[in-house]
Structure formats: C-alpha cells, structure tokens
Amino acid sequence: MASPATRRGLDLGSQEKLEIPPTSFRTQRLREKKTFSLEVHSDFSSFPNLPLGQARSLGGGRLRDLCGKFLGLQRLSTWPPPPSPPQTSPHPASSVSPAPIPRGPARAGWGERTGRGGVSSEEGEGGWRLASALIASVFHLGTMFLAGSPSHTLRRLPMLQLLLLLQTLERGLGRASPAGAPLEDVVIERYHIPRVCPREVQMGDFVRYHYNGTFEDGKKFDSSYDRSTLVAIVVGVGRLITGMDRGLMGMCVNERRRLIVPPHLGYGSIGVAGLIPPDATLYFDVVLLDVWNKADTVQMSILLRPPHCPRMVQNSDFVRYHYNGTLLDGTAFDNSYTRGGTYDTYIGSGWLIKGMDQGLLGMCPGEKRKIIIPPFLAYGEKGYGTVIPPQASLVFYVLLIDVHNPKDTVQLETLELPQDCVRRAVAGDFMRYHYNGSLMDGTLFDSSYSRNHTYNTYVGQGYIIPGMDQGLQGACIGERRRITVPPHLAYGENGTGDKIPGSAVLIFDVHVIDFHNPADPVEIKTLFRPPENCNETSKIGDFIRYHYNCSLLDGTRLFSSHDYEAPQEATLGANKVIEGLDRGLQGMCVGERRQLIVPPHLAHGESGARGVPGSAVLMFEVELVSREDGLPTGYLFVWHQDPPASLFEDMDLNKDGEVPPEEFSSFIKAQVNEGKGRLMPGQDPDKTIRDMFQNQDRNQDGKITAEELKLKSDEDQERIHEEL
C-alpha cells in the first residue's frame, strides 16, 4: 500500500525514504514504534530560502518534505513554480457527452489571479520566505529534541506539543501553497484499494474507467455513468487534463479514488463556457476498470497442473475445454458451464481470438489456467455485442478437458506385462477383459468392474470401436495396458449416450483375463513324468483316478480335488468330464503331472457353468493317480478267458432251473474274486450286477431261465445276422 504522501498526490517521480530509528526518541511510547518512512521526491531541489543552517543539516529537500509530511502539504517546491503545460479534457474527445469539454488553455501566470486568494509573485515570494523561516525554525527545535541535546531545554518538550505546533503552522499557511493560494497539485484520496494489485497505471498505458465530476459544492458537471460509456484513453500523453493524467497514475484495477484538481491543472482561468466556470477546482470520483499497454502480451498463470501430462496442446490440435470469461474488473461475460457443454475447437486455425489461441498452447488435459488477453489480441476497438465493450482486456479461467489431433493414432502404454507371455492376441481371437473407461480429464464413463463381469468379444472383427479393435491386438494374457483412442477412432463428433460427449478422447485401462481362438486345441504341458518306463498310458475306456486344480487364466481358483477325501474318478471317453479335460488326461502315465489349457468350446462354452464364467479359458493342473483298463462300450462285465461251457448250470446253484438275483450276484462276485472276469471299473459293483441281472431277465419276472441267459457277444453276433 502506498504511503500517505503517495495517497495525497505526490507520486510524480522517483522516491527516497527517510527513516528515523526509534532509539532517537526520548519517550518509551515512541520507542515502541519501529520506523517512520516518508516518501519524498528526488526532483525537489534544495530550498534556497531556509534561514537556518541547522535546518540545512538535515538535508534541505528531506527536511522540507518531512515538514510537508506532518503538515499534510501536497508539495513544497521552489518559488515561483514553473509554468504548467496545456490542459485537455478529462475524457477523450471521441467520447459521447451531452456537453463536450473543449481543450483548455495554459494556466495564467503567477502574477495574475489564479483562484482563491491569488497573489502576485512578489507578495507570494515574501509570504513563502516567512513560511520557510517558520518551518525551518520548528524543525530546528524538532531536530534538537530528536537528537536529545543535553544543553537544550526543548529536549523535554513532548512530541505531542511539537505536532500541535506544526498543525498551528499548517492552519496559518493554508493547505497547499503560499499565502493561501489554491492547491498546487492534485489531491488523491484512495478510498477503495483492492487487496491484489497485479499492475498499476503507468504513463503510456491505455485505461478504461468511469467517473463522476463535481464542483466543490457537490454540483455535478459531467459523468461517464450518465452516458453509459466508459472512458477509454491513453494516459500521460496529453489527451487528458493534467490533473486527471496525474490522478490516474499508479491506480489498480477496481481501485476507487477521489481526485481534487486545482484550476491550473484543470481548465484554468478560462474554464469551459456554460459548463465549468473560471478558476474552478474540480472533484472526480474515479473507478479504474481496465489497463493495458501496446507492449503487452498474453499473460498465463497455471492454477492447477496434473502430475501426469500425456501431451500438451499444439497448433492444429483439436481441444475441448471449459471456461469462465470475465473483464479485467471481474465482470462476467460468458461461461461454458452454464451451457452444459465444453467449447470445442481447433487451435491455431483462426477459429479463436488470437490471445486464446496463444494462451491454450502448452496446456495439459486436466490443467487449469488463467489467461489475460489484451484488447488488440481479443475483440479490439469494436468489442463484441453488448457483453464485451471496445478496448476491453479479457480474463479466461480455463479447464482443459482433452486434446487430440486428426492425425493421431491409437496410443498404447503397457502398465504390467507378465513374464511368461508366450502368446499375443491377433485378429479373430475371442477375448475376455476388464476395463475402466474415462475421459482425458479423468471422468469415468464406464467400468466392467462395476458390473462384476468381463467384456467378452472378438478382436479385429468390428464388434467394438476401431480404436479398441486395434488396441487389444498384441496383448498378452494377464497384461494391463492403457489404450488412448482419439475420437475419430471412437464415437466421433456425436459421442454416445449422456456420458461420452462428441469429439471426446477415450482412455481405457484394460486387464486382459484370457483369449482364445475357435480353432484352438487343448494345450498340454508336461510338468513331471516318472523316470521309470511307462509302458501303459491312459486311453479311452480306461478307468482312472486323478487329482486336479482348476483355475481361470488370471489365477482365479475355481475347483480342486484336494478339497475332497479322494481323487476324482472317471472313465475316459464316457462323457463324464468336459471334452478338453478328457483329451488332456489321455496318454498319461501313472504319477505324471500335466498343465492343460482348455478353450471354452472344449469346456463350458459361452454359457459357462456353476462357478465358471461364460467363454472362459480354463487351466488344469492334473496328476494321474491310478489307471485300470476299461470295458468295451456297452459291456458291464468281461471274461478274462473263455466263459464256462455250462454257464447256466454253474450259475444255477440249487439246480432248480431258475437263477434268482441272489444266485446271480453270488456267481458274478465269485468270478471277480477268482480273477476270471471283471466288472466295469468305477461303478458300484452291486449296482452293476443288478443292471446285468435286469438285462438278462428278459420277461422281467425276477428270475433268469436258460432260454433268457445270453452273452453280449452272442447277442451282438445275432444282431449282425439280423441286419444281414
């Protein structure tokens, strides 16, 4: 914040600081103060009329301005002051005004009447000499007090009495200049100062401001508000009256000032006919709304930058972004959020104002940026409609949603790659994968995880968007990859649904669960084979016992025979297990271990099974525990040698010409125990014997006669003869 001197209109040149340390004061109350900082102007020459050498010892210019600080004087300068340059109106000649204020003449000489209490130069010089002597004398006393001279009785003079003495002197001299003459410079009252002031008005800047102009009695003579038109003009180049030029210097946007302009810095002794009387002191209430310079460039400040930046905006890119647009004073003029959609456009192709084209370059998706654009890179002298006035600086708060180029292809990033990747997906494969789909700014639009179900599809067959068709090829089972799909390979300009907008770049984080091809066989990998000779291996019809672990290719465990008390039993080729497992168990030695990869068309197909997802590739780790030769198809019992010639007689134990179930069961079990024959392995012997008895009891009367008993081989032979 500027010093009181600056606030009162002394900000006209470079400044020096005079600091008085607290140790130079004799009172504890003043010791607590840290420092006095007085802003004075180096262009003030030494005062030639100081009568006391002691005053000069403080430095003529500094003493003089220190006095002005305490007295509230606006400026203490040499006498007589130099003539003022010609004056102009407080608003540009081009502005519309009910009563235009013409350019005024140079102010009258100091020998003429210049306003209230005007004096001649001779009278003024004499009065000013007297004032100089009084001021220097007072400060001579003050300096001795400050220095604490032990020989001077004034060292005990309280500072408050010294200040009262200075105030009395101030009232005697008037507020400004010799002999009660009008104000010598502009009085500036800064009654509203913004907390943040990124720049201040300097000479040559272009400003836009509102003002009310009144006389000392409060009567209004001009107002930009009445014309509903801001003043837009360059300051410091003579296009404004001198008082306004000086009063605007150092202002911040949204700052409010009250300027008191003496006549010689306004319209002088002539005034403006019918509007401003001669020798009128003018009062202006000013609010600054905009400031810029022809040397300005686009100003950019990053408000938020994401940690991951996959790419930055370049010329010819297509971008989607949200923005809030305001004038420099904070007045909002546009907002993409209220329209419910991003602003979509090409960069560097002339579709945007030049400043926005420049301001968006280098942005990352998800980045927030503040962009300040001077008028000549925005809408210039014409403005835009009723919302952007002419010569307005624009401020945009931008959030970049995504960026792509029409020449972009699918971008792949491998996030995790399994070490044992022996096969990669190709066109025509059927794949199961999980994914999270998001926009470039991180907004999630879809996820297979939320449905607890993989997405299952053919790759490279046009069942999915082209970008995903391309991005999934070459993936390994278990791989995690990020696929970035430009809109022309996704859903284009129209988007889809209410979650994917038009021209949106899509990002898919994919986890490949498995894939297969409809022509795939069972993949068999031997993990362990017994070192001893394996002369007999499992074959169709064999009854086998085996242990197994079953899982999905991503490692998800499904089933295990180790969860039960005994190994799994099956007869190969009897359709008791899935086809792929049946094939994988054939040709094994007892004690051998294998890994089997079974595609879904040889497992549970598209529908899956209890606990098995549809179209799932299964992995089995199997170990053959035992093997027994099986029986021919359709046989429940076979003889190891030729059956007895008198089979019925041997079976009819009580020789009554009939074989009931009890005799039949006893006979078959005796043959098995003696090693003369064997039942179908893997079945309950009693159930198998009951099935055999029912097959032989042709008339189902509960007993078998000699006419009914026939061997299956004889039945098959008879059937052949019948067919012939």
Side-chain angles (χ1 to χ4, degrees):
M1 183 173 177
S3 68
T6 304
R7 291 200 301 271
R8 300 188 61 180
L10 293 180
D11 192 4
L12 300 176
S14 61
Q15 298 178 347
E16 304 173 50
K17 290 186 180 291
L18 176 61
E19 297 186 354
I20 304 174
T23 55
S24 63
F25 297 102
R26 290 297 183 180
T27 64
Q28 181 63 31
R29 183 177 181 182
L30 290 179
R31 284 194 187 99
E32 295 173 357
K33 297 183 179 291
K34 293 184 178 179
T35 173
F36 287 103
S37 178
L38 306 181
E39 296 183 354
V40 298
H41 290 77
S42 60
D43 63 342
F44 291 176
S45 59
S46 60
F47 198 6
N49 300 315
L50 289 176
L52 297 178
Q54 293 91 336
R56 292 182 182 274
S57 67
L58 282 178
R62 294 189 176 184
L63 172 62
R64 198 166 58 252
D65 283 284
L66 181 62
C67 182
K69 171 72 177 179
F70 281 98
L71 296 180
L73 299 182
Q74 305 308 301
R75 184 177 179 189
L76 297 176
S77 61
T78 57
W79 186 267
S84 177
Q87 314 303 317
T88 58
S89 67
H91 54 79
S94 60
S95 61
V96 180
S97 173
I101 302 177
R103 183 183 299 267
R107 64 173 181 159
W110 280 90
E112 306 171 12
R113 290 189 60 82
T114 58
R116 296 174 299 171
V119 294
S120 67
S121 60
E122 186 177 18
E123 293 172 339
E125 184 174 356
W128 193 244
R129 287 178 184 273
L130 176 59
S132 301
L134 289 173
I135 293 170
S137 299
V138 170
F139 264 81
H140 173 62
L141 298 178
T143 54
M144 288 188 291
F145 169 77
L146 296 175
S149 173
S151 62
H152 206 289
T153 58
L154 283 178
R155 72 191 186 107
R156 299 184 181 88
L157 181 66
M159 179 59 71
L160 179 59
Q161 295 181 19
L162 180 59
L163 295 178
L164 291 175
L165 179 60
L166 291 174
Q167 286 184 335
T168 303
L169 178 60
E170 174 187 11
R171 288 193 295 270
L173 292 176
R175 275 190 59 83
S177 58
L183 298 175
E184 186 173 341
D185 208 340
V186 178
V187 177
I188 299 174
E189 179 186 353
R190 304 175 71 185
Y191 60 89
H192 175 73
I193 303 174
R195 291 185 178 181
V196 179
C197 182
R199 83 183 277 179
E200 298 178 348
V201 175
Q202 299 179 2
M203 185 174 296
D205 282 348
F206 195 102
V207 296
R208 294 171 52 248
Y209 63 91
H210 264 311
Y211 73 94
N212 280 318
T214 62
F215 297 118
E216 189 172 6
D217 60 1
K219 181 181 178 181
K220 183 168 62 177
F221 64 84
D222 192 19
S223 174
S224 63
Y225 296 98
D226 294 344
R227 299 189 296 274
S228 298
T229 303
L230 290 165
V231 177
I233 199 168
V234 179
V235 297
V237 295
R239 297 183 62 185
L240 295 166
I241 59 173
T242 304
M244 184 64 80
D245 253 348
R246 294 183 184 181
L248 292 174
M249 292 296 176
M251 280 193 80
C252 305
V253 173
N254 286 325
E255 181 181 341
R256 294 177 180 271
R257 287 184 177 183
R258 192 175 196 213
L259 311 178
I260 304 176
V261 180
H264 65 280
L265 298 180
Y267 295 97
S269 59
I270 297 179
V272 178
L275 188 61
I276 299 179
D279 298 322
T281 299
L282 307 180
Y283 294 75
F284 293 96
D285 285 294
V286 181
V287 55
L288 185 68
L289 301 179
D290 201 345
V291 56
W292 58 274
N293 194 286
K294 290 183 178 180
D296 287 350
T297 58
V298 175
Q299 301 176 46
M300 295 165 287
S301 54
I302 297 174
L303 307 179
L304 173 67
R305 194 178 187 96
H308 177 68
C309 183
R311 69 176 295 173
M312 295 186 289
V313 175
Q314 300 177 353
N315 280 322
S316 78
D317 282 347
F318 190 91
V319 295
R320 297 174 52 248
Y321 61 92
H322 274 302
Y323 69 91
N324 283 317
T326 68
L327 304 180
L328 203 58
D329 66 340
T331 302
F333 63 81
D334 197 11
N335 184 340
S336 66
Y337 296 94
T338 58
R339 294 193 295 271
T342 56
Y343 191 83
D344 307 342
T345 186
Y346 285 96
I347 298 296
S349 300
W351 290 24
L352 294 168
I353 57 175
K354 292 182 179 179
M356 186 61 84
D357 256 346
Q358 297 177 21
L360 292 172
L361 291 176
M363 285 192 75
C364 298
E367 179 180 335
K368 292 183 179 180
R369 181 179 285 193
K370 179 182 179 182
I371 304 173
I372 302 177
I373 303 175
F376 55 87
L377 294 176
Y379 293 98
E381 298 179 356
K382 296 181 179 180
Y384 187 82
T386 59
V387 293
I388 300 179
Q391 302 289 20
S393 300
L394 306 183
V395 181
F396 291 93
Y397 293 88
V398 176
L399 169 61
L400 185 66
I401 302 301
D402 68 30
V403 53
H404 77 276
N405 195 285
K407 298 179 181 179
D408 284 350
T409 58
V410 174
Q411 302 296 314
L412 302 178
E413 179 184 357
T414 300
L415 306 178
E416 182 180 334
L417 183 65
Q419 295 181 354
D420 55 344
C421 179
V422 296
R423 174 178 177 180
R424 295 181 179 271
V426 298
D429 284 347
F430 190 91
M431 181 178 289
R432 297 171 57 247
Y433 60 92
H434 273 301
Y435 70 92
N436 283 320
S438 63
L439 304 180
M440 216 169 190
D441 66 344
T443 302
L444 186 72
F445 63 80
D446 194 17
S447 174
S448 64
Y449 295 98
S450 64
R451 296 187 292 272
N452 197 28
H453 193 280
T454 57
Y455 192 84
N456 308 333
T457 185
Y458 284 96
V459 175
Q461 302 294 310
Y463 290 98
I464 50 181
I465 58 175
M468 283 295 283
D469 249 350
Q470 298 177 23
L472 292 173
Q473 295 185 44
C476 296
I477 293 174
E479 179 179 345
R480 297 177 185 269
R481 63 169 49 181
R482 176 169 293 156
I483 305 173
T484 302
V485 184
H488 52 275
L489 294 176
Y491 295 99
E493 297 180 359
N494 298 323
T496 183
D498 58 351
K499 293 187 177 181
I500 300 181
S503 301
V505 177
L506 306 183
I507 298 178
F508 294 92
D509 287 317
V510 175
H511 180 204
V512 179
I513 303 301
D514 63 41
F515 59 83
H516 72 279
N517 195 283
D520 284 349
V522 177
E523 296 181 24
I524 301 175
K525 179 181 180 182
T526 300
L527 304 178
F528 173 78
R529 193 177 183 90
E532 60 270 12
N533 292 331
C534 179
N535 297 324
E536 295 182 350
T537 60
S538 57
K539 59 185 179 299
I540 293 177
D542 283 357
F543 176 75
I544 61 172
R545 292 180 176 86
Y546 62 96
H547 275 299
Y548 73 94
N549 291 317
C550 177
S551 64
L552 302 178
L553 291 190
D554 65 349
T556 302
R557 184 174 180 272
L558 298 179
F559 312 106
S560 175
S561 63
H562 297 282
D563 296 337
Y564 306 97
E565 296 180 355
Q568 183 76 14
E569 298 177 346
T571 299
L572 296 179
N575 296 323
K576 299 299 182 180
V577 295
I578 58 174
E579 183 178 353
L581 180 58
D582 196 285
R583 294 183 184 181
L585 289 169
Q586 296 177 31
M588 292 186 70
C589 298
V590 174
E592 182 179 344
R593 288 188 286 116
R594 286 181 175 179
Q595 181 188 80
L596 310 176
I597 305 296
V598 182
H601 55 274
L602 297 176
H604 297 284
E606 296 181 1
S607 302
R610 181 180 177 183
V612 180
S615 301
V617 179
L618 303 181
M619 181 174 70
F620 290 90
E621 290 185 358
V622 296
E623 178 183 5
L624 187 62
V625 176
S626 65
R627 182 196 69 82
E628 298 180 34
D629 289 335
L631 302 183
T633 302
Y635 284 76
L636 298 176
F637 175 89
V638 294
W639 298 94
H640 290 166
Q641 54 191 1
D642 293 337
S646 55
L647 180 58
F648 182 79
E649 287 77 7
D650 294 343
M651 194 177 295
D652 184 11
L653 300 180
N654 61 5
K655 307 304 180 182
D656 61 356
E658 298 176 346
V659 178
E662 294 78 9
E663 291 182 341
F664 184 83
S665 176
S666 298
F667 176 79
I668 296 298
K669 289 181 179 180
Q671 304 305 307
V672 171
N673 293 334
E674 295 173 5
K676 296 179 179 179
R678 59 190 176 90
L679 293 167
M680 175 181 288
Q683 301 292 329
D684 180 11
D686 292 332
K687 182 179 182 304
T688 302
I689 294 172
R690 286 196 300 270
D691 291 340
M692 293 173 61
F693 181 83
Q694 290 177 359
N695 290 337
Q696 296 298 322
D697 184 9
R698 313 290 176 176
N699 59 8
Q700 301 299 311
D701 60 355
K703 55 188 176 182
I704 301 173
T705 62
E707 291 78 14
E708 292 175 320
L709 183 63
K710 293 181 181 180
L711 296 176
K712 182 171 177 53
S713 58
D714 296 336
E715 290 179 345
D716 292 341
Q717 190 65 31
E718 290 177 0
R719 187 177 295 112
I720 293 174
H721 288 302
E722 290 174 359
E723 292 174 355
L724 293 175

